[in-house]
Amino acid sequence: MIRSLPKSKTYSIGFKLYIVLYFVFLFAPLFITCVLAFNDSQFPSLPWKGFTVEWFTANQSERVGIFNDQINLDSIWVSAQVAFFVTLFSVVAGTCGAFLFEQEDFRLKQLLYFLMLSPLVIPGVILGISILLFSNTLGTYFEISWNLDVALFRPGFWLVVLGQFSFIATLVTLVVSARLKKFDYTLEEAALNLGANRFGVIWHITLKFLRPAIVGAGAVAFLMSFENFNTTLFLVGYEATLPINLYLQVRDGSTPVINAISFLLIIGTSTAACLHLYFSKKED
Amino acid sequence: MKHQKRWALFFFLTPVILWLFLLIVLPHIDLLIMSFRIENDAGEMVWSLSNYAQFFEEPIYWRTFVRTAVYSILVTFLTFVIALPVALYITKVVAPRFQGFLTLLLLLPFWVSELVRVYGWMILLRESGVINHFLIKLGILNRPVEMLYNDATMILGLIYTSMLFMIVPLIAVLESLDNSLIEAAYDLGANMWTILFKIIIPHATPGIVSGSIVVFMLTLGNYLTPNLMGGKNSLWFTEQIYNQFIASFNWNQGSAFGFLLLVLSSIVVWLGLKLTRQTLRTVVK
């Protein structure tokens, strides 16, 4: 059963085999996606017709590599901008939330805490439609009452940012709170005794202490936003984010360009993941 | 001092209140209101229960709903059964020096976008896919078979997508299990199954519950995997919502569906917590 106990040979071989199969199951789809990005074929399938990097670099009529594919490049740029703003907003709101729930006391704190957790149990699709509805209601109201046409209330860039922010901020709040719990309050008291004011203490001492958690949560927020599909689906306007754009292409038949984008995403995110783990290990 | 304290509270409270009320509370109240409104023959919006009545009258709607719920439970259970041995292996069986590496390897695929993972399965399983290619090469099949677009592959995809959220809490909870308990049971003559059901699973319950809640929720609310991997007959309830909103442009009907899905997911989360006497707060940790 465990390391220290004797076990039969068939049992341990069986167990190992299971684990190997599990890892094959885990990596097979990613591996094959990467391999087929380099196949010299018009379709992302076998047989192998030779190695090529044309699905990255080509610029011919029947074959346009990702580096020359304006629609896909645009959607990557849109996703990056969305992710930047989502990260910025959720780090600010999440850090405020962490201070609020860890250090402040007020009436109805429990209720507000429960509300803060609620995006964890609301399916992303529901968040998407309810924010779409509400912004539409507001938009109609502004138009009827003041004859104002507010672009923010129509599906588009900023609505996507707000939709993703609404649940990613919860994640940031939880990560930063976990770090704030470990904070040694005597440091704050010492600074206060020495004449610092509360904001000075937070700026110079507490935020310095929280920095690794904030950076880590920011990185995860960026990635979650970059890859979000469910909430974005309902809020997106004419500027498609990368997942939406890829979805439309995959649904209507695929070319190895999608493999090339996937390859870049897999390499990018695994590097980011390894760096993230490396730095969070170092902190501990 | 007191003055400053009030300002600090105000400073932290404002963004949080704005966030939670403008983006969570009010939109969901709006969702609820919209679900009780319909357009009457004169083109005016009036209060009505007919959006919900429609749900119960049309078999396609409630059948999809029940199917989605049942399949989500099935996916949650299968994910648990597949994940438990892996978590046990990593925490209790493998040599400690490989532990970190294996855990890293386990987490890596889940950093990649869900779309890329589903796409990977599509090029493996479809008629012109890689698995068919090898099966024909090996002479097992004469001609390619369409393995995509049925319930089985959709469930496979859903399990794959949500695996991480089961395995991480399981590893966390099994790490805190004292090995000497298992050793003692073994010395007293317990067999493998007794150890599993009397020691490991009771100890792992908090992890199993939090993993199951997250997996269930994500499966229930998934759109991408059922849409791309499921067939014409494996409609998911989120697809019904999408159809009402985007295709039929019947936002009131869609709101009713959305609210029903929200109620279902809340009830299951609540039941899961009640049955195991936990709170949302402990599960989050």
Side-chain angles (χ1 to χ4, degrees):
Chain A
M1 199 81 204
I2 59 173
R3 272 171 231 122
S4 49
L5 296 180
K7 48 203 168 232
S8 75
K9 200 140 197 191
T10 33
Y11 175 78
S12 37
I13 290 175
F15 211 161
K16 276 213 182 89
L17 196 68
Y18 179 81
I19 300 297
V20 169
L21 281 177
Y22 179 78
F23 276 100
V24 169
F25 166 71
L26 217 52
F27 282 95
L30 299 182
F31 177 75
I32 207 70
T33 307
C34 289
V35 169
L36 291 181
F38 298 99
N39 190 9
D40 193 3
S41 155
Q42 284 303 111
F43 304 100
S45 60
L46 288 174
W48 185 254
K49 291 186 179 168
F51 179 87
T52 180
V53 289
E54 283 195 348
W55 292 111
F56 293 86
T57 57
N59 194 5
Q60 303 143 9
S61 56
E62 78 276 21
R63 222 176 248 202
V64 180
I66 166 67
F67 298 137
N68 296 306
D69 184 340
Q70 205 51 47
I71 294 171
N72 281 316
L73 286 179
D74 283 346
S75 71
I76 293 176
W77 178 233
V78 171
S79 277
Q81 290 176 67
V82 168
F84 170 78
F85 284 108
V86 170
T87 309
L88 185 70
F89 296 161
S90 17
V91 162
V92 171
T95 310
C96 284
F99 276 104
L100 185 70
F101 293 116
E102 290 301 318
Q103 297 199 339
E104 302 293 335
D105 250 321
F106 50 95
R107 273 193 302 163
L108 302 179
K109 183 174 166 180
Q110 280 307 314
L111 179 73
L112 204 64
Y113 187 77
F114 179 76
L115 273 179
M116 187 274 291
L117 291 182
S118 64
L120 294 177
V121 292
I122 302 174
V125 169
I126 310 290
L127 266 179
I129 57 170
S130 52
I131 290 175
L132 173 69
L133 281 175
F134 185 57
S135 68
N136 184 61
T137 307
L138 283 183
T140 317
Y141 178 77
F142 272 74
E143 205 171 323
I144 291 172
S145 308
W146 295 300
N147 209 10
L148 277 175
D149 183 23
V150 189
L152 174 69
F153 296 138
R154 280 197 302 268
F157 184 85
W158 291 106
L159 217 51
V160 171
V161 170
L162 287 175
Q164 297 183 356
F165 160 80
S166 69
F167 69 95
I168 293 178
T170 297
L171 181 110
V172 178
T173 308
L174 291 173
V175 174
V176 178
S177 295
R179 173 98 182 155
L180 195 53
K181 281 200 176 82
K182 294 185 198 150
F183 182 64
D184 180 4
Y185 285 101
T186 52
L187 288 175
E188 271 195 357
E189 279 160 27
L192 286 170
N193 285 339
L194 292 169
N197 70 22
R198 180 128 164 81
F199 284 102
V201 172
I202 287 173
W203 187 255
H204 290 293
I205 297 173
T206 327
L207 277 181
K208 283 247 154 61
F209 174 80
L210 292 177
R211 200 165 63 188
I214 293 177
V215 172
V220 175
F222 190 91
L223 200 64
M224 281 183 79
S225 160
F226 199 85
E227 295 180 342
N228 181 269
F229 180 82
N230 279 355
T231 308
T232 311
L233 180 67
F234 291 92
L235 302 173
V236 74
Y238 60 89
E239 288 177 300
T241 62
L242 183 64
I244 300 286
N245 187 29
L246 283 181
Y247 164 74
L248 296 174
Q249 292 174 58
V250 168
R251 197 184 54 181
D252 307 333
S254 52
T255 71
V257 174
I258 300 173
N259 293 59
I261 301 172
S262 305
F263 174 77
L264 296 175
L265 281 177
I266 290 170
I267 297 299
T269 43
S270 346
T271 317
C274 289
L275 284 176
H276 180 71
L277 285 171
Y278 175 73
F279 281 112
S280 52
K281 274 256 165 63
K282 223 171 144 189
E283 266 319 306
D284 299 334
Chain B
M1 193 60 205
K2 184 124 201 209
H3 184 68
Q4 256 182 34
K5 190 114 186 108
R6 283 197 73 85
W7 271 103
L9 175 63
F10 183 73
F11 184 84
F12 295 137
L13 196 58
T14 315
V16 175
I17 292 276
L18 283 177
W19 155 35
L20 293 176
F21 276 83
L22 288 181
L23 295 174
I24 307 291
V25 178
L26 293 177
H28 285 90
I29 293 175
D30 203 21
L31 181 78
L32 185 61
I33 293 174
M34 281 291 272
S35 72
F36 285 110
R37 310 273 287 170
I38 57 157
E39 199 174 329
N40 68 6
D41 297 336
E44 297 157 331
M45 297 306 285
V46 290
W47 294 98
S48 163
L49 282 172
S50 76
N51 292 320
Y52 290 95
Q54 191 75 13
F55 170 79
F56 291 103
E57 277 161 19
E58 287 284 337
I60 173 117
Y61 294 152
W62 63 260
R63 277 196 195 140
T64 312
F65 188 74
V66 173
R67 236 176 62 93
T68 306
V70 171
Y71 273 22
S72 298
I73 294 170
L74 180 70
V75 166
T76 310
F77 178 72
L78 289 176
T79 309
F80 165 68
V81 172
I82 295 172
L84 185 67
V86 181
L88 264 178
Y89 189 81
I90 285 188
T91 48
K92 301 288 171 205
V93 181
V94 78
R97 64 202 157 96
F98 294 125
Q99 229 166 21
F101 175 70
L102 277 186
T103 315
L104 177 73
L105 214 57
L106 212 57
L107 303 188
L108 220 46
F110 298 98
W111 289 81
V112 180
S113 159
E114 184 187 351
L115 194 93
V116 174
R117 287 180 268 148
V118 170
Y119 177 65
W121 278 112
M122 288 174 74
I123 52 182
L124 274 176
L125 292 172
R126 68 176 158 209
E127 207 174 341
S128 59
V130 174
I131 291 180
N132 267 315
H133 179 80
F134 281 120
L135 288 179
I136 289 171
K137 270 267 162 79
L138 291 171
I140 297 170
L141 288 177
N142 297 324
R143 54 198 179 83
V145 189
E146 182 61 270
M147 296 185 223
L148 262 185
Y149 312 124
N150 59 52
D151 286 6
T153 48
M154 181 184 76
I155 287 177
L156 172 101
L158 287 167
I159 292 175
Y160 184 84
T161 303
S162 41
M163 200 44 122
L164 168 86
F165 301 96
M166 185 63 88
I167 230 158
V168 167
L170 281 182
I171 287 182
V173 84
L174 286 177
E175 259 172 359
S176 68
L177 174 61
D178 191 350
N179 284 347
S180 54
L181 286 175
I182 299 176
E183 285 160 9
Y186 181 82
D187 290 342
L188 292 169
N191 67 18
M192 199 178 86
W193 297 110
T194 319
I195 295 179
L196 185 65
F197 286 107
K198 291 271 155 101
I199 297 180
I200 294 175
I201 289 184
H203 179 87
T205 305
I208 297 172
V209 172
S210 47
S212 300
I213 287 178
V214 177
V215 169
F216 178 80
M217 260 231 7
L218 289 177
T219 308
L220 197 67
N222 200 320
Y223 176 83
L224 207 60
T225 308
N227 189 255
L228 290 177
M229 292 179 80
K232 283 216 163 58
N233 299 317
S234 23
L235 202 57
W236 211 244
F237 200 63
T238 48
E239 293 177 274
Q240 293 277 21
I241 296 176
Y242 182 85
N243 289 345
Q244 291 300 334
F245 264 85
I246 309 293
S248 328
F249 218 69
N250 188 347
W251 285 18
N252 300 93
Q253 186 68 63
S255 304
F257 287 177
F259 197 73
L260 286 167
L261 190 71
L262 188 61
V263 169
L264 174 66
S265 103
S266 313
I267 287 177
V268 170
V269 171
W270 181 80
L271 270 180
L273 293 175
K274 271 279 154 292
L275 286 177
T276 54
R277 298 197 192 86
Q278 297 196 57
T279 63
L280 194 56
R281 197 183 260 256
T282 54
V283 168
V284 166
K285 285 170 195 156

